[in-house]
């Protein structure tokens, strides 16, 4: 027990050092009037902070979208005009509760395995629609369509090669709601969707998992 406590305390030091270092570099960039660099460091810090310090299983959709926005800013700095990011979400859906760390891995999958292999430009879109007592959340890209074999491997709970994030989100969504990811090959591109209850319960309320 003491060894585990020491490990937990040590694990807290590394993120603390990381955030302090990023803040220091961001301050230097601001002093040097390097606004783009400052914003890139700030976005990276937000991503690390969310990944390392968020302990909730479910969070408001708005929080997940802010993480994706930071991630997309960094990707657009890398790819330039090759990637466009759109959202199709009504303002009243921002409080809908969704699994934490669900959207960014799906967006990353869309870029790395969908748009990046293509030579032209691509679009990543997150759409949210209310369907009765459920909310459908979909990440769609216009890139290289997903291999049907990957869809089958995800359905059968096999590790689909280097798409660990995809399987991770599939498992967590299935554990929370009894239904995993719905993956569809488009012409062109891919759409990955999942459904959550149409609820706006406070984040600190108890989570009731479906059987």
């Amino acid at each position: 027990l003491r060894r585990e406590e020491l490990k937990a305390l040590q694990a807290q030091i590394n993120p603390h050092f990381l955030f302090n270092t990023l803040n220091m570099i961001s301050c230097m960039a601001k002093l040097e009037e390097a606004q783009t660099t400052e914003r890139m460091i700030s976005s990276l810090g937000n991503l690390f902070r969310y990944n390392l310090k968020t302990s909730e299983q479910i969070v408001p959709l708005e929080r997940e979208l802010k993480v994706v926005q930071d991630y997309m800013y960094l990707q657009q700095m890398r790819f330039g005009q090759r990637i466009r990011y759109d959202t199709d979400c009504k303002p009243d859906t921002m409080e809908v509760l969704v699994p934490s760390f669900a959207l960014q891995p799906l967006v990353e999958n869309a870029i790395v395995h969908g748009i990046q292999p293509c030579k032209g430009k691509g679009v990543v879109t997150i759409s949210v629609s209310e369907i009765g007592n459920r909310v459908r959340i979909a990440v769609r890209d216009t890139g290289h369509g997903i291999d049907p074999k990957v869809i089958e491997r995800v359905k059968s709970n096999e590790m689909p090669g280097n798409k660990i994030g995809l399987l991770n989100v599939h498992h967590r969504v299935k554990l929370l709601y009894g239904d995993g990811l719905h993956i569809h090959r488009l012409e062109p591109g891919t759409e990955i969707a999942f459904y959550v209850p149409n609820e706006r319960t406070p984040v600190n309320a108890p989570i009731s998992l479906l059987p």
Side-chain angles (χ1 to χ4, degrees), residues 1-17:
L1 179 62
R2 289 183 62 188
R3 279 198 300 268
E4 292 305 317
E5 289 177 351
L6 287 171
K7 286 181 182 179
L9 290 172
Q10 186 177 10
Q12 294 174 4
I13 295 175
N14 293 331
H16 185 71
F17 171 76

Side-chain angles (χ1 to χ4, degrees), residues 68-81:
V68 173
Q69 187 174 9
D70 283 321
Y71 174 77
M72 284 304 304
Y73 174 75
L74 293 172
Q75 292 302 317
Q76 286 171 330
M77 292 303 299
R78 176 186 177 189
F79 291 103
Q81 299 299 316

Side-chain angles (χ1 to χ4, degrees), residues 125-141:
T125 305
I126 295 179
S127 60
V128 180
S129 53
E130 297 180 81
I131 306 173
N133 61 350
R134 296 200 301 174
V135 175
R136 184 179 189 268
I137 301 169
V139 176
R140 185 170 64 252
D141 68 76

Side-chain angles (χ1 to χ4, degrees), residues 5-206:
E5 289 177 351
L6 287 171
K7 286 181 182 179
L9 290 172
Q10 186 177 10
Q12 294 174 4
I13 295 175
N14 293 331
H16 185 71
F17 171 76
L18 173 65
F19 295 141
N20 283 346
T21 304
L22 287 174
N23 285 336
M24 181 183 66
I25 298 173
S26 179
C27 290
M28 289 298 297
K30 187 173 184 178
L31 289 173
E32 296 172 357
E33 298 184 355
Q35 295 179 353
T36 301
T37 302
E38 181 188 359
R39 184 175 173 185
M40 289 179 68
I41 295 168
S42 177
S43 295
L44 181 62
N46 291 340
L47 285 171
F48 277 128
R49 187 173 290 105
Y50 185 71
N51 277 273
L52 292 170
K53 293 196 172 184
T54 298
S55 58
E56 297 97 335
Q57 290 289 337
I58 54 174
V59 297
L61 174 63
E62 183 178 18
R63 195 188 303 182
E64 279 284 293
L65 290 176
K66 285 181 179 179
V67 173
V68 173
Q69 187 174 9
D70 283 321
Y71 174 77
M72 284 304 304
Y73 174 75
L74 293 172
Q75 292 302 317
Q76 286 171 330
M77 292 303 299
R78 176 186 177 189
F79 291 103
Q81 299 299 316
R82 277 195 61 194
I83 296 179
R84 196 175 86 230
Y85 169 58
D86 293 331
T87 57
D88 182 13
C89 313
K90 294 180 180 178
D92 62 347
T93 62
M94 291 295 100
E95 296 179 0
V96 170
L97 296 178
V98 301
S100 58
F101 313 113
L103 290 182
Q104 186 272 330
L106 300 185
V107 171
E108 182 176 355
N109 183 79
I111 294 174
V112 174
H113 301 290
I115 295 175
Q116 189 173 343
C118 301
K119 294 182 180 180
K121 298 180 180 181
V123 182
V124 177
T125 305
I126 295 179
S127 60
V128 180
S129 53
E130 297 180 81
I131 306 173
N133 61 350
R134 296 200 301 174
V135 175
R136 184 179 189 268
I137 301 169
V139 176
R140 185 170 64 252
D141 68 76
T142 59
H144 181 71
I146 191 169
D147 188 336
K149 293 180 181 178
V150 173
I151 300 177
E152 292 304 318
R153 293 180 71 180
V154 172
K155 287 181 179 179
S156 60
N157 294 324
E158 294 180 28
M159 185 68 73
N162 55 354
K163 299 175 179 61
I164 299 174
L166 194 65
L167 190 62
N168 180 285
V169 176
H170 175 70
H171 281 324
R172 289 191 291 115
V173 171
K174 195 169 184 177
L175 283 171
L176 283 167
Y177 310 115
D179 187 20
L181 298 178
H182 297 254
I183 308 175
H184 306 282
R185 184 183 174 98
L186 307 176
E187 293 296 336
T190 303
E191 181 186 72
I192 301 177
F194 60 91
Y195 294 82
V196 301
N198 194 353
E199 298 176 352
R200 293 161 176 79
T201 311
V203 177
N204 57 0

